[in-house]
Amino acid sequence: MQQMPENLIERAEFREREGIFRNRRHAGRVLADMMADRLAPDCLVLAVPAGGVPVACTLAEMLALESDVVVVSKITFPWNSEAGYGAVAQNGLVRLNDRIMAEVRLNQSEIHDGISTTTAKVNRRIKAFRGDHTAPDIRRRPAVIVDDGLASGTTMSVAIEAVTEMGAASISVAIPTGHLESISRISVEVERIYCANVRSGMRFAVAAAYQQWSDVAESEAIAMMSKRDRPAEQ
């Protein structure tokens, strides 16, 4: 088995197992137990919508931390809305996957349209999740980025880069489940990785770690974020 990164905090008894979590909220509670007393009181919990929201909201509530979103969206192929060749983040950051780009045939017009469509989607989601509230100031604050799992790691890597550009003092990642190869790849980009269920092998699906799994509707995620406690705005 590939060597574990030194900055990885895991639950060794969950390694290589499936069906660990009842649902995303249960996963958030497991992570919160792992992270208790390890985060600064001013740490900002950043959820990657939409699947990361139930995990992050539960974690933030249990640890009494402020939470918000970091919106990142895949740039998908014109012929496959599930597969992507890059990502766009809420601060305008655009990253294309050079390896995938070398294997597929996309002309410049298709790439331009893909970036434009994805940027519009990201901007719309920011407004939908924040409503009339201003974004918390992340500058010089520690941040932990939360998603419901880590497969290829492309979206998370872009989220990390975006939060770095936004001025966070330090960045950690919290994921209920993740593929060891992707965990190792992003480990060099962050201070610490919390992952309860580390798995390896050729076949990896985030959903396999959960007993109950379905897509989180954007409206559901927005409702969850709107109910969280917010500090008084100046």
Side-chain angles (χ1 to χ4, degrees):
M1 187 174 181
Q2 184 176 344
Q3 186 175 1
M4 298 287 183
E6 292 184 358
N7 60 346
L8 169 65
I9 296 175
E10 59 158 340
R11 291 280 294 270
E13 69 271 27
F14 291 165
R15 193 182 300 169
E16 302 295 350
R17 292 174 56 189
E18 297 185 349
I20 294 294
F21 312 108
R22 291 191 297 275
N23 50 39
R24 289 178 175 87
R25 287 196 177 276
H26 176 224
R29 291 192 289 272
V30 171
L31 283 175
D33 287 342
M34 292 171 59
M35 301 166 71
D37 301 323
R38 291 180 179 271
L39 302 179
D42 65 335
C43 183
L44 181 62
V45 176
L46 296 172
V48 179
V53 170
V55 182
C57 284
T58 303
L59 187 157
E61 181 180 356
M62 290 188 66
L63 299 182
L65 297 173
E66 184 181 4
S67 61
D68 197 61
V69 293
V70 53
V71 181
V72 181
S73 185
K74 289 186 297 186
I75 308 170
T76 58
F77 295 107
W79 59 84
N80 186 344
S81 61
E82 295 299 319
Y85 58 92
V88 176
Q90 65 184 45
N91 65 338
L93 179 69
V94 177
R95 286 290 178 265
L96 303 180
N97 187 309
D98 293 334
R99 178 184 60 79
I100 295 176
M101 295 292 289
E103 296 175 356
V104 298
R105 293 183 178 180
L106 286 171
N107 59 47
Q108 288 301 311
S109 177
E110 290 172 323
I111 295 171
H112 179 270
D113 289 346
I115 293 173
S116 297
T117 299
T118 307
T119 300
K121 176 183 177 181
V122 167
N123 291 337
R124 178 189 61 77
R125 295 187 97 183
I126 293 170
K127 292 179 181 178
F129 275 98
R130 291 238 171 86
D132 296 329
H133 295 281
T134 57
D137 189 354
I138 196 173
R139 290 173 297 178
R140 295 179 295 280
R141 290 179 65 178
V144 56
I145 304 174
V146 182
D147 207 349
D148 55 9
L150 186 75
S152 70
T154 299
T155 299
M156 180 61 75
S157 185
V158 174
I160 292 167
E161 188 174 354
V163 174
T164 299
E165 289 190 359
M166 291 158 63
S170 65
I171 300 173
S172 295
V173 165
I175 43 174
T177 185
H179 193 284
L180 178 56
E181 183 177 332
S182 298
I183 290 171
S184 298
R185 188 164 54 249
I186 70 167
S187 66
V188 299
E189 305 174 20
V190 296
E191 182 177 271
R192 193 169 290 165
I193 300 177
Y194 300 89
C195 181
N197 171 232
V198 178
R199 287 182 282 143
S200 57
M202 294 293 292
R203 295 183 179 181
F204 176 89
V206 169
Y210 294 85
Q211 298 168 19
Q212 301 172 20
W213 175 267
S214 61
D215 290 338
V216 177
E218 185 174 297
S219 58
E220 181 184 358
I222 291 169
M224 290 179 194
M225 294 299 296
S226 68
K227 292 177 182 177
R228 73 198 191 281
D229 292 331
R230 293 177 181 266
E233 296 185 7
Q234 302 297 320

